[in-house]
Amino acid sequence: MTAARVQEHWERVVNVASTRYSTSTGCSTATQMVYNLFQGYGINPQNQSHTGGHAPNVIGTITGSTNPGNVYIAIGHLDDMPSSGPAPGADDNASGSAMVTALAEVMSCYEFATTVRFIAVTGEEFGVYGCEYYANHIPAGDTVLAVLNGDMISYEGQGAIPENLDVNLNSGSAWLGPLLTQA
């Protein structure tokens, strides 16, 4: 993965539509773009409808060869604010969506013992609709081992105090924090 490739993914998300407001045509256009990328990477994309009027979540999967029921998830929300006018959502959340699509591109070239799922969710600016729906509809037999949620990963902060790295973990994911911080 190079900085240029990450930039390419970010620009693709930022420029796909003038706004990616979850109920807008622009968000539907963005989800179709992610679906097409996942399809091109051969990671079996699926749309997941969750709340009336909102663009669907897009899910791509690399099925594990040995332990397919153990799942790692990379997720970012594709929708942004406001509903009209230029709204590129550069750091909220084109950066997280670019993380998901860039990881999908790179990781699609490999086989893994466990399943890896890449998810671009919508409805987040309305109240985490897409994320909540996915969490409540995890396929039977799946054991989620870790979730990497990229939200506003390119946020630079406001004013004189720059943003630092915030790593939020639950007790089951405590092992992941030091690895993420090192990276």
Side-chain angles (χ1 to χ4, degrees):
M1 181 58 58
T2 63
R5 183 165 281 163
V6 171
Q7 181 75 20
E8 179 183 311
H9 280 271
W10 180 81
E11 287 180 10
R12 185 179 289 132
V13 175
V14 167
N15 294 318
V16 72
S18 63
T19 183
R20 294 184 317 281
Y21 192 73
S22 192
T23 57
S24 73
T25 302
C27 197
S28 294
T29 300
T31 59
Q32 186 62 51
M33 180 268 299
V34 172
Y35 185 98
N36 292 344
L37 285 175
F38 286 177
Q39 190 168 45
Y41 303 150
I43 59 171
N44 308 312
Q46 296 178 311
N47 284 329
Q48 181 185 51
S49 297
H50 56 82
T51 309
H54 291 266
N57 294 337
V58 184
I59 304 165
T61 303
I62 300 171
T63 303
S65 61
T66 307
N67 300 304
N70 290 337
V71 181
Y72 291 93
I73 296 173
I75 191 168
H77 74 89
L78 191 56
D79 61 312
D80 70 359
M81 297 289 267
S83 62
S84 63
D91 63 15
D92 189 14
N93 193 29
S95 59
S97 298
M99 176 200 79
V100 170
T101 60
L103 286 173
E105 178 186 15
V106 170
M107 294 175 75
S108 69
C109 300
Y110 299 94
E111 183 178 294
F112 299 94
T114 59
T115 295
V116 181
R117 202 158 284 142
F118 307 92
I119 309 173
V121 293
T122 63
E124 297 311 286
E125 298 293 357
F126 284 77
V128 298
Y129 292 171
C131 239
E132 197 168 78
Y133 187 88
Y134 179 81
N136 290 327
H137 294 86
I138 291 173
D142 279 4
T143 300
V144 177
L145 300 176
V147 176
L148 176 60
N149 180 6
D151 192 19
M152 298 175 63
I153 59 178
S154 68
Y155 182 64
E156 294 182 343
Q158 295 178 354
I161 302 172
E163 181 66 18
N164 59 3
L165 176 65
D166 295 329
V167 178
N168 300 304
L169 308 163
N170 62 16
S171 60
S173 299
W175 62 272
L176 187 58
L179 296 174
L180 183 58
T181 303
Q182 283 177 338

